[in-house]
Amino acid sequence: MSSLSLKDKIDLAKLPKHIAVIMDGNGRWAKKQGKLRVFGHKNGVLAVREITEAAAELGVKYLTLYAFSKENWNRPKYEVDALMSLLVSTIGKEVTTLQKNNIRLKAIGDIASLPLKNQRELEKAITLTKNNSRMTLVLALSYGSRWEILQAAKSMAHKYKEGLISDDDFVESRFEAELNTTGFPEPELMIRTSGEKRISNFLLWQLAYAELYFTEKLWPDMRKEDLFEAILDYQRRERRFGKTSEQLQNN
Ligand code: IPE
Ligand code: IPE
Ligand code: MG
């Protein structure tokens, strides 16, 4: 056994710049102990803190957390309400920690569909932390990738019709400028907890070449070491981008 800790084994020169996470399994975590699903969501907050801190400590520049999907609006009303008030109180409570840790908060998704209280709390935290530079924490709220891509397409169509853009603007980089994630690098690593192996309408465009990492751990059980393990797994992979292994080695 090596005496190095998991964290020490990470090659900081090959750190992903952007990690995206589907925080899944809160409900099952609660159910396992005979508690209500909402208890799982409450306990998921600690994992958010752990993973955010671990990412910032390492020097990851962007961390995107999928907190609420467009499809999650179809859950029972009491669960949606509980999640919304948990979001408000958590953002309110964590904003001082974000400030202290020099972390900038951003949000992607259909923010206008959130309750006004959430929008205000979010806006406050985003404005307060806007000049922080250590890491950007992106919350995906009422987020759906198909919705995001469609609204980007609509915006392009509108600008085309108005003569603001031409045929030449229909290129990937210009299209990306219309996505919610404009300005953020593409995630190199996507982590999903709870053993489910699907994307669930998360960053469909942006994850085109991301390495996918799945763990059986339920979200509320996630700790710093689990993030380190995922990054180590990522660092053992060969990212070929369509090329051959030989081409990469000769480079
Ligand atoms: C993830 O946990 C949190 C949200 C989707 C808001 P779930 O609530 O999906 O938990 P499971 O998947 O039912 O266990
Ligand atoms: C995905 O989890 C959304 C979030 C983690 C916010 P879900 O639990 O909603 O995903 P599905 O419906 O099981 O695919
Ligand atoms: Mg789930």
Side-chain angles (χ1 to χ4, degrees), residues 103-114:
I103 296 170
R104 175 172 74 144
L105 186 72
K106 287 274 188 185
I108 57 171
D110 189 4
I111 302 305
S113 72
L114 297 173

Side-chain angles (χ1 to χ4, degrees), residues 22-24 28 66-69 72 75 192 196 198 200:
I22 302 180
M23 311 186 285
D24 199 11
R28 278 163 284 167
Y66 201 6
F68 194 85
S69 73
N72 289 148
R75 292 191 178 193
R192 182 169 191 152
E196 306 298 353
R198 53 176 174 264
S200 301

Side-chain angles (χ1 to χ4, degrees), residues 9-238:
K9 286 186 193 153
I10 293 173
D11 180 353
L12 293 177
K14 286 190 196 145
L15 207 58
K17 268 199 205 68
H18 186 174
I19 300 176
V21 186
I22 302 180
M23 311 186 285
D24 199 11
N26 294 352
R28 278 163 284 167
W29 185 89
K31 225 173 156 186
K32 270 201 336 200
Q33 3 195 343
K35 298 268 172 47
L36 296 173
R37 297 178 52 83
V38 172
F39 182 70
H41 297 317
K42 285 192 181 131
N43 281 274
V45 176
L46 172 63
V48 170
R49 215 175 281 140
E50 284 266 322
I51 300 310
T52 304
E53 264 181 42
E57 277 169 21
L58 281 173
V60 171
K61 297 310 283 182
Y62 292 83
L63 176 68
T64 297
L65 301 178
Y66 201 6
F68 194 85
S69 73
K70 279 243 167 222
E71 289 73 25
N72 289 148
W73 289 112
N74 298 319
R75 292 191 178 193
K77 185 177 165 1
Y78 76 88
E79 183 172 344
V80 171
D81 290 348
L83 274 166
M84 288 303 146
S85 61
L86 186 65
L87 279 166
V88 180
S89 62
T90 306
I91 292 167
K93 267 187 243 156
E94 298 297 317
V95 68
T96 38
T97 317
L98 293 177
Q99 274 301 72
K100 202 177 71 203
N101 291 326
N102 193 15
I103 296 170
R104 175 172 74 144
L105 186 72
K106 287 274 188 185
I108 57 171
D110 189 4
I111 302 305
S113 72
L114 297 173
L116 274 178
K117 220 173 160 194
N118 285 63
Q119 293 186 42
R120 268 189 237 113
E121 201 68 35
L122 203 56
E123 204 46 62
K124 235 169 51 190
I126 289 171
T127 309
L128 196 71
T129 61
K130 72 173 195 295
N131 294 321
N132 293 345
S133 57
R134 186 172 177 211
M135 184 176 84
T136 300
L137 174 64
V138 184
L139 290 183
L141 293 169
S142 189
Y143 176 84
S145 197
R146 286 181 174 173
W147 166 84
E148 179 192 32
I149 291 169
L150 256 180
Q151 63 88 34
K154 269 192 223 162
S155 171
M156 291 282 281
H158 178 76
K159 284 175 184 162
Y160 186 76
K161 199 172 138 213
E162 298 292 311
L164 299 169
I165 58 172
S166 70
D167 290 344
D168 297 341
D169 287 305
F170 284 79
V171 290
E172 291 182 10
S173 59
R174 183 63 191 78
F175 190 77
E176 277 165 2
E178 301 292 338
L179 296 173
N180 289 185
T181 50
T182 178
F184 309 157
E186 271 176 29
E188 297 99 322
L189 171 62
M190 194 286 284
I191 299 170
R192 182 169 191 152
T193 59
S194 89
E196 306 298 353
K197 294 178 184 70
R198 53 176 174 264
I199 303 288
S200 301
N201 203 10
F202 187 45
L203 303 175
L204 299 178
W205 173 286
Q206 297 86 341
L207 293 177
Y209 256 106
E211 296 297 329
L212 308 182
Y213 178 86
F214 299 99
T215 168
E216 295 295 321
K217 279 246 167 128
L218 301 173
W219 177 254
D221 288 330
M222 285 293 279
R223 293 296 175 268
K224 291 184 179 183
E225 297 290 301
D226 300 305
L227 181 76
F228 301 153
E229 226 167 81
I231 293 173
L232 283 167
D233 190 278
Y234 161 83
Q235 293 191 332
R236 285 192 291 268
R237 301 185 192 187
E238 185 179 59

